[in-house]
């Protein structure tokens, strides 16, 4: 039997950590082992919190990589889908995390590596089309600057969600939750099958809305 | 690589401030330049000397040694003898090799390593990695020395006693031993970097097949570090304690230079201990990270196909977009504070229809019958607008001429058939400008209109 410090939902709600953790989960935050207090709190409170969030039509999930997050399943809580820039930046960071070279630096990289890697995969010309809104700037230098701004904005919002930690000196630390962007590639032998599984789980949506980017 | 060029002697620097030392070195234009081949050559001399073949070598032996080194480092390079000559000159100029001079007579071709080259080689070749054994030996030696110094300080004596039995051992022996621990500890940093690079290299080459090797390497390093950490923690505490006791005794004896030296050494020892502690923490963090990496990334993707699929997913995302669903925080509500409002009297005037229908007012035309005037002009068969205006407008007050012009055009269109002349230039007409038109008399009755 798992030992837990909480015996009831009342004790959990009365805990000092509950308001902060609850609000953060409802804002899309992911908690991994580096968030020592919050992670321990969620691990101990999970048996009660699962039922609590189910009433909000949400599912409290602990991934095989040990991080916690909330998956909205109904429409009681507002839901958003990550935007284009956030998605491609997140997937690029997941790819960097899968590279063994990252073990030398414990996941710490210069922020410019993300843009360089992404540009290397999709091509410099394709980047503006991928992350910027239409109409695209005609001037290449202006487009490049807007791409950089959009990538920087994506990193900031991903850091608020717990996928990455922005460090001083233009560095970043890729956090384990970033592997969520690799789930579609990890779950099945083909990407299509992986996406189908994730759609069935309610983790992702296919097809972009207007205004994504 | 740091470059040394000048042969000038560097004056002693003991007791000089940082600024003085830097200024002196800068004025001397000091720099050091040692390529890989030269470094290997010096190392070869060092190893020959260490293996008991004497502390100097004749020129012929040096040239043979250089040829051997060159075969390894620059196998394709020609003229090895010429290069050997240049190397000997270069290393001599930079005070890395010195000719041996015996009893005032220079013996041609006998060479030896200098203190500078020995110091450099000690750094690169030193196999004094920080082991539990070496750390215990160093720390035990240090504590023994400090015990003796404490005893001598407590015994006390004249200035010479304090200088020879307390201050000099603190400044030289104790300081060297602490620096020895620090130097070896910094070597530990390099070992950790090497382990990290080896683990990354093993994973890069063999991926999941390297799991066992990586785990063995990590376990061994972690065990070594744990042992060292425990020893360092205990030993640095004991060393600081002894040094502070020496400082206290010196202070009581008014030996303030000794006291200051003791405080400096205590600070240095604490720094060494703190550095060690930081390195252990950094290793723990790395160890935790790599264990999770092996468990969650390597084990779950033995074939390493995930990276390729993910790369393809990024490439194709634009044509097949999908997005992770996350809860969105509700929008912020800016709640106003309640405020007192003025009480407004309710409206008490009864309802009534207060809108008045618009009244149509014609512009003043001065009693001109426009229809009759236009009909009179059309009697000749055709009438021009300009001519009609010239007849009618003078009879109309100036304020009504603009509106009257519109009525004249309308009457011409109703009474006749309007044709535009070819020339559509604007012409003046009684204070206005109009585009002229021509109306031809209708043969049939005019169309009915409501006015």
């Amino acid at each position: 039997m798992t030992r837990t410090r909480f015996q009831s939902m009342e004790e959990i709600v009365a805990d000092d950590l509950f308001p902060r953790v609850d609000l953060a989960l409802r804002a899309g935050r992911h908690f991994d082992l580096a968030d020592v207090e919050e992670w321990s709190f969620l691990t101990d409170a999970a048996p009660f919190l699962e039922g609590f969030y189910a009433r909000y039509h949400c599912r409290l999930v602990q991934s095989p990589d040990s991080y916690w997050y909330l998956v909205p399943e109904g429409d009681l809580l507002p839901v958003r889908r990550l935007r284009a820039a956030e998605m491609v930046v997140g997937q690029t960071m997941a790819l960097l995390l899968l590279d063994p070279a990252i073990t030398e630096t414990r996941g710490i990289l210069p922020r410019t590596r993300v843009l360089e890697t992404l540009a290397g995969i999709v091509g410099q010309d394709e980047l503006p089309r991928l992350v910027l809104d239409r109409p695209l700037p005609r001037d290449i230098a202006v487009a490049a600057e807007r791409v950089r701004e959009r990538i920087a904005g994506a990193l900031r919002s991903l850091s608020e969600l717990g996928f990455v930690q922005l460090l001083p000196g233009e560095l970043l630390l890729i956090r384990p939750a970033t592997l969520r962007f690799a789930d579609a590639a990890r779950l099945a032998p083909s990407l299509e099958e992986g996406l189908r599984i994730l759609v069935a789980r309610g983790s992702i949506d296919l097809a972009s809305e207007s205004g994504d980017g | 690589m740091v470059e040394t060029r000048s042969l000038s002697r560097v004056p002693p620097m003991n007791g000089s401030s940082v600024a003085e030392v830097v200024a002196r070195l800068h004025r001397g234009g000091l720099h050091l330049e040692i390529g890989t081949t030269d470094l290997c050559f010096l190392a070869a001399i060092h190893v020959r000397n260490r293996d008991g073949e004497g502390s100097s070598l004749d020129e012929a032996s040096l040239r043979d040694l250089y040829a051997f080194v060159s075969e390894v480092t620059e196998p394709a390079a020609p003229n090895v003898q010429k290069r050997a000559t240049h190397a000997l000159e270069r290393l001599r100029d930079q005070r890395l090799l010195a000719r041996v001079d015996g009893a005032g007579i220079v013996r041609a071709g006998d060479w030896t390593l200098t203190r500078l080259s020995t110091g450099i080689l000690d750094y690169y070749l030193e196999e004094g990695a920080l082991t539990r054994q070496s750390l215990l030996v160093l720390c035990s030696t240090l504590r023994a020395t400090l015990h003796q110094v404490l005893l001598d300080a407590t015994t006390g004596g004249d200035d010479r006693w304090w200088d020879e039995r307390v201050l000099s051992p603190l400044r030289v022996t104790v300081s060297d031993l602490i620096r020895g621990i620090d130097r070896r500890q910094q070597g530990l940093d390099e070992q950790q970097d090497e382990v990290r690079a080896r683990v990354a290299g093993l994973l890069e080459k063999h991926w999941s097949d390297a799991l066992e090797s990586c785990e063995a390497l990590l376990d061994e390093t972690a065990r070594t570090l744990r042992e060292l950490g425990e020893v360092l923690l205990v030993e640095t505490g004991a060393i600081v304690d002894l040094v502070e006791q020496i400082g206290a005794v010196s202070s009581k004896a008014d030996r303030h230079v000794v006291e200051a030296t003791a405080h400096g050494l205590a600070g240095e020892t604490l720094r060494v201990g703190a550095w060690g502690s930081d390195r252990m923490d950094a290793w723990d963090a790395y160890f935790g990270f790599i264990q999770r990496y092996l468990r969650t990334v390597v084990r779950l993707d033995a074939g390493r196909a995930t990276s390729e699929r993910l790369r393809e997913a990024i490439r194709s995302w634009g044509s097949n977009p999908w997005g992770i669903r996350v809860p969105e925080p509700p929008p912020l509500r800016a709640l106003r504070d309640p405020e007192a409002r003025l009480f407004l009297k309710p409206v008490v005037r009864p309802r009534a229809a207060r809108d008045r229908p618009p009244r149509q007012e014609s512009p003043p035309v001065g009693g001109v019958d426009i229809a009759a005037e236009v009909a009179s002009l059309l009697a000749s068969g055709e009438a021009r607008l300009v001519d009609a205006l010239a007849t009618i407008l003078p009879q109309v007050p100036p304020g009504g001429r603009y509106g009257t012009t519109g009525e004249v055009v309308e009457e011409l269109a109703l009474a006749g058939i309007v044709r535009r002349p070819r020339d559509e230039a604007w012409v003046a007409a009684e204070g206005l400008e109009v585009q002229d038109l021509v109306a031809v008399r209708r043969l049939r009755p005019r169309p009915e209109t409501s006015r």
Side-chain angles (χ1 to χ4, degrees):
Chain A
M1 191 172 171
T2 310
R3 288 169 55 189
T4 172
R5 54 182 150 138
F6 299 113
Q7 304 306 317
S8 68
M9 193 62 210
E10 284 80 10
E11 284 181 25
I12 292 168
V13 171
D15 192 283
D16 289 340
L17 275 172
F18 175 77
R20 191 166 80 233
V21 171
D22 176 54
L23 284 174
L25 282 173
R26 292 180 199 226
R29 181 81 156 79
H30 295 60
F31 289 103
D32 60 46
L33 284 162
D35 306 301
V36 177
E37 282 188 333
E38 292 85 352
W39 190 91
S40 302
F41 172 81
L42 282 167
T43 304
D44 287 340
F48 295 98
L49 287 179
E50 280 163 1
F52 174 77
Y53 286 116
R55 299 181 67 190
Y56 288 92
H57 299 177
C58 290
R59 187 164 36 101
L60 182 64
V61 175
Q62 186 180 28
S63 80
D65 306 312
S66 293
Y67 55 87
W68 291 96
Y69 60 98
L70 213 56
V71 173
E73 292 183 320
D75 51 10
L76 267 183
L77 286 190
V79 176
R80 77 169 177 102
R81 188 168 44 245
L82 294 187
R83 293 178 281 271
E86 291 165 328
M87 284 304 301
V88 294
V89 166
Q91 289 177 85
T92 304
M93 290 198 298
L95 186 65
L96 288 169
L97 200 55
L98 294 177
D99 184 351
I102 201 116
T103 60
E104 284 193 71
T105 59
R106 262 198 320 118
I108 296 176
L109 296 170
R111 293 183 206 183
T112 50
R113 262 302 278 289
V114 176
L115 181 53
E116 285 162 12
T117 306
L118 181 55
I121 294 171
V122 303
Q124 282 284 0
D125 295 338
E126 187 58 28
L127 257 182
R129 278 191 279 272
L130 201 53
V131 301
L132 296 183
D133 301 324
R134 304 289 186 272
L136 300 176
R138 292 187 182 196
D139 189 285
I140 296 174
V142 170
E145 183 56 31
R146 293 225 184 125
V147 165
R148 276 192 289 274
E149 286 168 6
R150 191 55 66 89
I151 299 293
L155 283 173
R156 279 193 298 274
S157 64
L158 290 175
S159 84
E160 285 166 16
L161 296 173
F163 291 112
V164 65
Q165 184 182 349
L166 300 181
L167 302 174
E170 291 296 307
L171 296 173
L172 56 82
L173 167 67
I174 304 177
R175 303 185 69 162
T178 302
L179 287 171
R180 206 175 156 194
F181 290 92
D183 278 349
R186 289 160 94 186
L187 284 174
S190 76
L191 187 62
E192 290 75 22
E193 184 59 31
L195 290 174
R196 266 196 293 276
I197 293 172
L198 292 175
V199 168
R201 288 183 188 176
S203 294
I204 69 167
D205 280 338
L206 295 177
S208 60
E209 292 172 351
S210 61
D212 263 358
Chain B
M1 291 277 183
V2 180
E3 274 194 9
T4 8
R5 194 181 293 143
S6 169
L7 297 179
S8 58
R9 286 176 184 253
V10 176
M13 297 187 199
N14 291 336
S16 303
S17 69
V18 169
E20 285 169 349
V21 168
V22 169
R24 224 175 283 145
L25 290 174
H26 176 66
R27 274 197 300 274
L30 292 178
H31 68 279
L32 197 65
E33 185 176 350
I34 315 175
T36 307
T37 303
D38 284 352
L39 196 54
C40 292
F41 179 42
L42 292 171
I45 299 171
H46 177 79
V47 171
R48 284 278 286 265
N49 291 345
R50 191 191 60 191
D51 291 347
E53 300 205 25
S55 61
S56 65
L57 290 171
D58 59 54
E59 190 160 324
S61 302
L62 274 184
R63 287 179 178 279
D64 287 342
L65 205 50
Y66 186 88
F68 168 74
V69 168
S70 178
E71 234 180 82
V72 174
T73 60
E74 296 171 300
N79 296 327
V80 64
Q81 286 304 319
K82 199 172 172 183
R83 283 188 290 114
T85 305
H86 289 155
L88 290 175
E89 281 172 13
R90 193 165 52 241
L91 294 172
R92 185 197 58 196
D93 287 347
Q94 294 186 92
R95 298 287 177 95
L96 293 164
L97 279 180
R99 284 184 181 265
V100 174
D101 186 357
I105 301 167
V106 174
R107 279 181 289 173
D110 271 20
W111 299 77
T112 188
L113 293 173
T114 62
R115 245 180 355 122
L116 176 59
S117 50
T118 307
I120 293 169
L121 289 168
D122 276 346
Y123 176 80
Y124 281 108
L125 300 182
E126 192 174 75
E127 287 175 74
L130 192 61
T131 63
R132 190 170 187 276
Q133 177 102 17
S134 67
L135 183 59
L136 282 172
V137 165
L138 275 169
C139 292
S140 302
T141 311
L142 185 50
R143 277 196 283 119
T145 307
L146 286 170
H147 271 299
Q148 185 59 51
V149 169
L150 178 60
L151 196 62
D152 290 340
T154 308
T155 305
D158 58 10
D159 286 350
R160 192 172 165 182
W161 172 271
W162 276 95
D163 198 52
E164 285 179 8
R165 305 296 287 259
V166 181
L167 188 59
S168 293
L170 281 181
R171 274 186 176 164
V172 179
T173 311
V174 171
S175 186
D176 274 352
L177 285 169
I178 292 173
R179 280 195 205 117
I181 297 171
D182 193 22
R183 207 169 50 238
R184 281 167 171 79
Q185 194 167 236
Q186 289 181 37
L188 199 60
D189 270 351
E190 290 165 16
Q191 284 176 26
Q192 288 188 30
D193 288 345
E194 204 190 297
V195 167
R196 279 198 283 262
R198 276 177 67 188
V199 167
L202 281 169
L203 288 172
E204 180 64 45
K205 262 192 181 166
H206 306 293
W207 194 240
S208 55
D209 290 339
L211 273 173
E212 274 188 39
S213 318
C214 288
E215 283 172 346
L217 184 57
L218 291 167
D219 286 343
E220 188 192 323
T221 310
R223 196 171 39 247
T224 307
L225 280 172
R226 219 171 12 252
E227 287 174 0
L228 291 172
E230 285 160 5
V231 172
L232 207 57
L233 194 62
V234 170
E235 293 292 335
T236 50
I239 291 164
V240 167
D241 191 45
L242 282 167
V243 171
E244 284 179 346
Q245 285 182 56
I246 294 169
V249 169
S250 311
S251 175
K252 270 192 191 160
D254 289 330
R255 298 286 171 175
H256 299 298
V257 174
V258 177
E259 185 190 0
T261 306
H263 279 318
L265 285 174
E268 216 175 308
T269 310
L270 284 171
R271 186 185 57 75
V272 167
W275 181 293
S277 190
D278 283 346
R279 297 280 77 74
M280 304 301 165
D281 289 344
W283 175 261
D284 282 343
Y286 168 76
F287 189 79
F289 176 86
I290 193 68
Q291 288 288 357
R292 281 193 300 276
Y293 188 88
L294 294 176
R295 191 176 62 241
T296 62
V297 176
V298 180
R299 282 190 199 282
L300 293 181
D301 183 29
R304 217 173 167 183
T306 301
S307 297
E308 273 320 301
R309 282 199 291 270
L310 185 52
R311 199 176 286 271
E312 186 49 42
I314 297 170
R315 229 177 261 131
S316 65
W317 193 90
S319 53
N320 185 22
W322 56 276
I324 289 176
R325 299 171 78 241
V326 294
E328 187 169 35
L332 291 173
R333 284 192 185 188
L335 298 174
R336 291 177 190 271
D337 289 331
E339 57 187 20
R341 288 191 166 202
L342 286 175
F343 176 71
L344 295 172
K345 256 174 85 169
V347 175
V348 296
R349 210 163 66 157
R351 280 180 183 271
R354 300 179 204 282
D355 287 336
R356 284 186 218 143
R359 190 180 62 212
Q360 185 159 348
E361 290 186 6
S362 303
V365 296
V368 176
D369 187 346
I370 294 173
E373 294 283 354
V374 167
S376 159
L377 285 167
L378 276 173
S380 62
E382 74 173 35
R384 295 173 68 90
L385 174 61
V386 174
D387 296 333
L389 291 178
T391 306
I392 297 170
L393 288 187
Q395 303 172 56
V396 176
R401 285 182 184 176
Y402 190 86
T404 303
T405 303
E407 293 190 36
V408 170
V409 170
E410 191 181 357
E411 189 57 35
L412 274 173
L414 286 171
I417 298 171
V418 171
R419 289 201 187 99
R420 272 217 156 137
R422 284 186 183 223
D423 181 8
E424 294 185 359
W426 291 78
V427 296
E430 305 305 315
L432 301 172
E433 281 191 8
V434 296
Q435 279 182 306
D436 200 7
L437 49 80
V438 174
V440 175
R441 189 181 60 192
R442 286 180 184 275
L443 297 176
R444 290 187 189 143
R446 61 188 276 165
E448 290 296 327
T449 56
S450 58
R451 278 211 172 196

